[in-house]
Short mmCIF file of all heavy atoms in Angstrom, two decimals:
data_model
loop_
_atom_site.label_atom_id
_atom_site.label_comp_id
_atom_site.label_asym_id
_atom_site.label_seq_id
_atom_site.Cartn_x
_atom_site.Cartn_y
_atom_site.Cartn_z
N PRO L 1 59.14 88.63 7.08
CA PRO L 1 58.41 89.86 7.38
C PRO L 1 57.06 89.91 6.54
O PRO L 1 56.98 89.46 5.38
CB PRO L 1 59.38 90.93 6.84
CG PRO L 1 60.26 90.22 5.80
CD PRO L 1 60.31 88.91 6.28
N THR L 2 56.10 90.48 7.14
CA THR L 2 54.91 90.86 6.46
C THR L 2 54.59 92.26 6.86
O THR L 2 55.11 92.80 7.91
CB THR L 2 53.64 89.95 6.98
OG1 THR L 2 53.38 90.23 8.35
CG2 THR L 2 53.89 88.49 6.68
N THR L 3 53.77 92.95 6.14
CA THR L 3 53.53 94.40 6.41
C THR L 3 52.88 94.48 7.82
O THR L 3 53.17 95.47 8.55
CB THR L 3 52.67 95.05 5.38
OG1 THR L 3 51.43 94.29 5.24
CG2 THR L 3 53.30 95.06 4.07
N LYS L 4 52.04 93.61 8.20
CA LYS L 4 51.33 93.67 9.50
C LYS L 4 52.40 93.50 10.66
O LYS L 4 52.39 94.21 11.61
CB LYS L 4 50.28 92.53 9.56
CG LYS L 4 49.38 92.68 10.71
CD LYS L 4 48.26 91.60 10.61
CE LYS L 4 46.99 92.24 10.97
NZ LYS L 4 45.85 91.30 10.79
N LYS L 5 53.29 92.51 10.37
CA LYS L 5 54.27 92.26 11.52
C LYS L 5 55.24 93.39 11.61
O LYS L 5 55.57 93.82 12.79
CB LYS L 5 55.14 90.92 11.20
CG LYS L 5 54.45 89.67 11.30
CD LYS L 5 55.44 88.57 10.94
CE LYS L 5 54.86 87.26 10.82
NZ LYS L 5 55.76 86.16 10.35
N VAL L 6 55.61 94.07 10.54
CA VAL L 6 56.56 95.19 10.60
C VAL L 6 55.85 96.38 11.20
O VAL L 6 56.50 97.11 12.04
CB VAL L 6 57.13 95.53 9.22
CG1 VAL L 6 57.93 96.75 9.22
CG2 VAL L 6 57.92 94.37 8.69
N CYS L 7 54.63 96.60 10.94
CA CYS L 7 53.94 97.68 11.54
C CYS L 7 53.80 97.56 13.01
O CYS L 7 53.91 98.49 13.82
CB CYS L 7 52.49 97.90 10.93
SG CYS L 7 52.51 98.70 9.35
N LYS L 8 53.64 96.27 13.49
CA LYS L 8 53.58 95.96 14.90
C LYS L 8 54.88 96.24 15.64
O LYS L 8 54.97 96.41 16.79
CB LYS L 8 53.19 94.59 15.16
CG LYS L 8 51.61 94.42 14.93
CD LYS L 8 51.25 92.96 15.30
CE LYS L 8 49.72 92.82 15.08
NZ LYS L 8 49.31 91.34 15.33
N LEU L 9 56.02 96.16 14.86
CA LEU L 9 57.35 96.40 15.50
C LEU L 9 57.57 97.83 15.79
O LEU L 9 58.36 98.21 16.70
CB LEU L 9 58.45 95.96 14.51
CG LEU L 9 58.62 94.48 14.12
CD1 LEU L 9 59.67 94.30 13.05
CD2 LEU L 9 58.91 93.74 15.43
N LEU L 10 56.90 98.83 15.11
CA LEU L 10 57.11 100.24 15.37
C LEU L 10 56.71 100.71 16.67
O LEU L 10 55.59 100.42 17.17
CB LEU L 10 56.31 101.04 14.28
CG LEU L 10 56.67 100.70 12.80
CD1 LEU L 10 55.78 101.61 11.87
CD2 LEU L 10 58.10 100.94 12.48
N THR L 11 57.61 101.44 17.38
CA THR L 11 57.25 102.02 18.63
C THR L 11 57.57 103.46 18.56
O THR L 11 58.61 103.95 18.05
CB THR L 11 58.04 101.35 19.79
OG1 THR L 11 59.45 101.49 19.61
CG2 THR L 11 57.81 99.94 19.99
N PHE L 12 56.62 104.25 19.22
CA PHE L 12 56.79 105.72 19.19
C PHE L 12 56.74 106.23 20.58
O PHE L 12 56.26 105.52 21.50
CB PHE L 12 55.58 106.33 18.43
CG PHE L 12 55.48 105.85 16.97
CD1 PHE L 12 54.64 104.70 16.66
CD2 PHE L 12 56.13 106.48 15.93
CE1 PHE L 12 54.53 104.29 15.35
CE2 PHE L 12 56.03 106.06 14.64
CZ PHE L 12 55.20 104.93 14.37
N ASP L 13 57.16 107.47 20.75
CA ASP L 13 57.05 108.12 22.10
C ASP L 13 55.54 108.31 22.31
O ASP L 13 54.68 108.25 21.39
CB ASP L 13 57.64 109.49 22.05
CG ASP L 13 59.19 109.46 22.18
OD1 ASP L 13 59.68 108.42 22.64
OD2 ASP L 13 59.87 110.34 21.67
N VAL L 14 55.15 108.37 23.62
CA VAL L 14 53.75 108.43 23.99
C VAL L 14 53.19 109.82 23.68
O VAL L 14 51.99 109.93 23.14
CB VAL L 14 53.63 108.24 25.50
CG1 VAL L 14 52.15 108.33 25.93
CG2 VAL L 14 54.16 106.76 25.79
N ASP L 15 53.88 110.86 23.83
CA ASP L 15 53.44 112.24 23.69
C ASP L 15 53.87 112.87 22.34
O ASP L 15 54.71 113.67 22.27
CB ASP L 15 53.83 113.14 24.83
CG ASP L 15 55.35 113.11 24.99
OD1 ASP L 15 56.04 112.13 24.60
OD2 ASP L 15 55.98 114.05 25.62
N LEU L 16 53.16 112.39 21.27
CA LEU L 16 53.50 112.90 19.94
C LEU L 16 52.64 114.14 19.67
O LEU L 16 51.54 114.28 20.05
CB LEU L 16 53.16 111.85 18.89
CG LEU L 16 53.95 110.53 18.94
CD1 LEU L 16 53.52 109.63 17.82
CD2 LEU L 16 55.46 110.80 18.89
N THR L 17 53.28 115.11 18.88
CA THR L 17 52.51 116.19 18.42
C THR L 17 51.61 115.82 17.28
O THR L 17 51.72 114.70 16.80
CB THR L 17 53.48 117.35 17.93
OG1 THR L 17 54.13 116.80 16.75
CG2 THR L 17 54.52 117.70 19.04
N THR L 18 50.76 116.66 16.81
CA THR L 18 49.85 116.41 15.80
C THR L 18 50.57 116.14 14.48
O THR L 18 50.22 115.14 13.79
CB THR L 18 48.91 117.58 15.57
OG1 THR L 18 48.31 117.93 16.77
CG2 THR L 18 47.83 117.29 14.48
N ASN L 19 51.63 116.88 14.23
CA ASN L 19 52.36 116.63 13.00
C ASN L 19 53.15 115.24 13.09
O ASN L 19 53.22 114.46 12.14
CB ASN L 19 53.52 117.75 12.74
CG ASN L 19 52.93 119.00 12.30
OD1 ASN L 19 51.87 119.02 11.80
ND2 ASN L 19 53.75 120.06 12.35
N GLN L 20 53.66 114.91 14.25
CA GLN L 20 54.31 113.63 14.41
C GLN L 20 53.30 112.49 14.25
O GLN L 20 53.71 111.41 13.69
CB GLN L 20 55.09 113.59 15.79
CG GLN L 20 56.19 114.53 15.87
CD GLN L 20 56.71 114.60 17.26
OE1 GLN L 20 56.13 114.24 18.27
NE2 GLN L 20 58.06 115.17 17.36
N LYS L 21 52.11 112.61 14.83
CA LYS L 21 51.16 111.54 14.64
C LYS L 21 50.83 111.36 13.11
O LYS L 21 50.66 110.25 12.70
CB LYS L 21 49.87 111.91 15.40
CG LYS L 21 49.99 111.80 16.87
CD LYS L 21 48.72 112.16 17.57
CE LYS L 21 48.87 112.21 19.12
NZ LYS L 21 47.71 112.65 19.86
N GLU L 22 50.75 112.49 12.41
CA GLU L 22 50.41 112.39 10.96
C GLU L 22 51.59 111.71 10.19
O GLU L 22 51.33 110.78 9.43
CB GLU L 22 50.25 113.80 10.40
CG GLU L 22 49.80 113.79 8.99
CD GLU L 22 49.51 115.17 8.42
OE1 GLU L 22 49.31 116.17 9.19
OE2 GLU L 22 49.58 115.33 7.16
N VAL L 23 52.83 112.03 10.59
CA VAL L 23 53.92 111.36 9.97
C VAL L 23 54.02 109.87 10.40
O VAL L 23 54.35 109.01 9.51
CB VAL L 23 55.27 112.12 10.32
CG1 VAL L 23 56.44 111.34 9.72
CG2 VAL L 23 55.25 113.53 9.68
N ALA L 24 53.72 109.53 11.55
CA ALA L 24 53.65 108.14 11.99
C ALA L 24 52.60 107.47 11.25
O ALA L 24 52.83 106.32 10.78
CB ALA L 24 53.28 108.11 13.47
N ASN L 25 51.48 108.00 10.92
CA ASN L 25 50.45 107.35 10.08
C ASN L 25 50.96 107.24 8.61
O ASN L 25 50.66 106.21 8.00
CB ASN L 25 49.19 108.14 10.10
CG ASN L 25 48.44 107.99 11.44
OD1 ASN L 25 48.61 107.04 12.09
ND2 ASN L 25 47.67 109.06 11.79
N HIS L 26 51.75 108.21 8.14
CA HIS L 26 52.33 108.10 6.89
C HIS L 26 53.28 106.87 6.78
O HIS L 26 53.33 106.14 5.83
CB HIS L 26 53.12 109.34 6.48
CG HIS L 26 52.31 110.62 6.21
ND1 HIS L 26 50.95 110.55 5.75
CD2 HIS L 26 52.62 111.96 6.25
CE1 HIS L 26 50.61 111.79 5.61
NE2 HIS L 26 51.55 112.67 5.89
N LEU L 27 54.14 106.76 7.80
CA LEU L 27 55.04 105.66 7.92
C LEU L 27 54.25 104.29 7.85
O LEU L 27 54.71 103.36 7.13
CB LEU L 27 55.91 105.70 9.14
CG LEU L 27 56.94 104.60 9.34
CD1 LEU L 27 57.93 104.53 8.27
CD2 LEU L 27 57.68 104.83 10.69
N LYS L 28 53.22 104.16 8.66
CA LYS L 28 52.47 102.87 8.64
C LYS L 28 51.83 102.62 7.31
O LYS L 28 51.83 101.42 6.85
CB LYS L 28 51.43 102.95 9.77
CG LYS L 28 52.04 102.90 11.19
CD LYS L 28 50.93 103.09 12.23
CE LYS L 28 51.55 103.16 13.62
NZ LYS L 28 50.46 103.40 14.67
N ARG L 29 51.25 103.69 6.77
CA ARG L 29 50.72 103.54 5.46
C ARG L 29 51.70 103.13 4.38
O ARG L 29 51.45 102.21 3.57
CB ARG L 29 50.01 104.83 4.96
CG ARG L 29 49.35 104.74 3.64
CD ARG L 29 48.57 106.03 3.33
NE ARG L 29 48.19 106.04 1.96
CZ ARG L 29 47.68 107.10 1.37
NH1 ARG L 29 47.57 108.23 1.91
NH2 ARG L 29 47.31 107.00 0.05
N PHE L 30 52.89 103.77 4.39
CA PHE L 30 53.98 103.36 3.50
C PHE L 30 54.35 101.95 3.68
O PHE L 30 54.53 101.23 2.70
CB PHE L 30 55.21 104.36 3.88
CG PHE L 30 56.44 104.05 3.12
CD1 PHE L 30 56.49 104.36 1.68
CD2 PHE L 30 57.46 103.35 3.71
CE1 PHE L 30 57.75 104.00 1.03
CE2 PHE L 30 58.65 103.06 3.00
CZ PHE L 30 58.75 103.36 1.62
N ILE L 31 54.43 101.47 4.87
CA ILE L 31 54.86 100.10 5.11
C ILE L 31 53.81 99.13 4.59
O ILE L 31 54.10 98.07 3.96
CB ILE L 31 55.10 99.78 6.57
CG1 ILE L 31 56.39 100.54 7.01
CG2 ILE L 31 55.15 98.35 6.90
CD1 ILE L 31 56.60 100.54 8.57
N ARG L 32 52.51 99.45 4.83
CA ARG L 32 51.43 98.57 4.34
C ARG L 32 51.37 98.46 2.84
O ARG L 32 50.87 97.48 2.29
CB ARG L 32 50.06 99.09 4.88
CG ARG L 32 49.87 98.80 6.36
CD ARG L 32 48.46 99.06 6.81
NE ARG L 32 48.03 100.47 6.59
CZ ARG L 32 48.08 101.37 7.57
NH1 ARG L 32 48.48 101.06 8.75
NH2 ARG L 32 47.70 102.65 7.29
N GLU L 33 51.86 99.48 2.13
CA GLU L 33 51.89 99.45 0.67
C GLU L 33 53.10 98.79 -0.03
O GLU L 33 53.13 98.65 -1.18
CB GLU L 33 51.80 100.86 0.11
CG GLU L 33 50.43 101.56 0.49
CD GLU L 33 50.33 103.00 -0.14
OE1 GLU L 33 51.35 103.46 -0.80
OE2 GLU L 33 49.28 103.60 0.09
N LEU L 34 54.08 98.41 0.82
CA LEU L 34 55.37 97.85 0.33
C LEU L 34 55.05 96.42 -0.10
O LEU L 34 54.40 95.66 0.46
CB LEU L 34 56.42 97.85 1.36
CG LEU L 34 56.89 99.21 1.81
CD1 LEU L 34 57.98 99.11 2.89
CD2 LEU L 34 57.50 99.96 0.69
N ASP L 35 55.72 96.08 -1.20
CA ASP L 35 55.77 94.64 -1.74
C ASP L 35 56.86 93.90 -0.85
O ASP L 35 57.59 94.60 -0.09
CB ASP L 35 56.00 94.55 -3.22
CG ASP L 35 57.32 95.07 -3.66
OD1 ASP L 35 58.21 95.36 -2.87
OD2 ASP L 35 57.45 95.37 -4.89
N GLU L 36 57.00 92.70 -1.15
CA GLU L 36 57.91 91.85 -0.36
C GLU L 36 59.37 92.33 -0.41
O GLU L 36 60.05 92.42 0.54
CB GLU L 36 57.78 90.44 -0.77
CG GLU L 36 58.62 89.41 0.10
CD GLU L 36 58.47 87.99 -0.43
OE1 GLU L 36 57.40 87.54 -0.95
OE2 GLU L 36 59.37 87.18 -0.20
N SER L 37 59.77 92.65 -1.63
CA SER L 37 61.09 93.13 -1.88
C SER L 37 61.41 94.45 -1.09
O SER L 37 62.47 94.54 -0.44
CB SER L 37 61.36 93.22 -3.39
OG SER L 37 62.63 93.81 -3.61
N LYS L 38 60.56 95.35 -1.30
CA LYS L 38 60.76 96.63 -0.68
C LYS L 38 60.59 96.51 0.83
O LYS L 38 61.26 97.24 1.61
CB LYS L 38 59.68 97.73 -1.15
CG LYS L 38 60.05 98.24 -2.52
CD LYS L 38 60.51 99.64 -2.35
CE LYS L 38 60.86 100.25 -3.75
NZ LYS L 38 59.81 100.87 -4.44
N LEU L 39 59.76 95.62 1.33
CA LEU L 39 59.64 95.35 2.77
C LEU L 39 60.93 94.88 3.35
O LEU L 39 61.35 95.34 4.40
CB LEU L 39 58.49 94.42 3.03
CG LEU L 39 58.08 94.28 4.53
CD1 LEU L 39 57.63 95.58 5.14
CD2 LEU L 39 57.07 93.25 4.62
N GLN L 40 61.53 94.00 2.63
CA GLN L 40 62.85 93.52 3.05
C GLN L 40 63.91 94.68 3.04
O GLN L 40 64.73 94.70 3.97
CB GLN L 40 63.34 92.37 2.21
CG GLN L 40 62.52 91.05 2.43
CD GLN L 40 62.92 89.91 1.51
OE1 GLN L 40 63.51 90.20 0.42
NE2 GLN L 40 62.63 88.77 1.89
N LYS L 41 63.86 95.47 2.06
CA LYS L 41 64.80 96.73 2.08
C LYS L 41 64.50 97.56 3.24
O LYS L 41 65.51 98.07 3.76
CB LYS L 41 64.64 97.40 0.71
CG LYS L 41 65.34 96.68 -0.46
CD LYS L 41 65.21 97.62 -1.68
CE LYS L 41 65.94 96.99 -2.93
NZ LYS L 41 65.92 97.83 -4.06
N PHE L 42 63.28 97.82 3.51
CA PHE L 42 62.89 98.62 4.71
C PHE L 42 63.54 98.01 5.93
O PHE L 42 64.15 98.70 6.70
CB PHE L 42 61.41 98.86 4.81
CG PHE L 42 60.99 99.57 5.98
CD1 PHE L 42 61.05 100.91 6.03
CD2 PHE L 42 60.65 98.94 7.17
CE1 PHE L 42 60.67 101.68 7.18
CE2 PHE L 42 60.26 99.67 8.31
CZ PHE L 42 60.26 101.07 8.31
#
């Protein structure tokens, strides 16, 4: 796993609300900040 590969795995519904889009961005940002050990845990 790499952060880029894991972010590409994420799939979301097409019609997200504004709040859901913001949380989806939080999730992607969270993944991008993970080190190798935490990425494996995720």
Side-chain angles (χ1 to χ4, degrees):
T2 64
T3 56
K4 192 176 223 177
K5 288 180 188 177
V6 173
C7 281
K8 285 183 180 180
L9 293 177
L10 302 177
T11 59
F12 302 92
D13 286 335
V14 179
D15 55 338
L16 296 179
T17 66
T18 306
N19 284 348
Q20 291 172 342
K21 286 179 186 175
E22 185 178 339
V23 174
N25 288 333
H26 290 337
L27 177 62
K28 290 175 186 175
R29 179 178 172 191
F30 174 74
I31 292 170
R32 284 192 299 267
E33 292 181 0
L34 294 176
D35 62 16
E36 185 178 334
S37 172
K38 283 253 179 87
L39 188 61
Q40 288 176 339
K41 284 183 178 185
F42 175 82

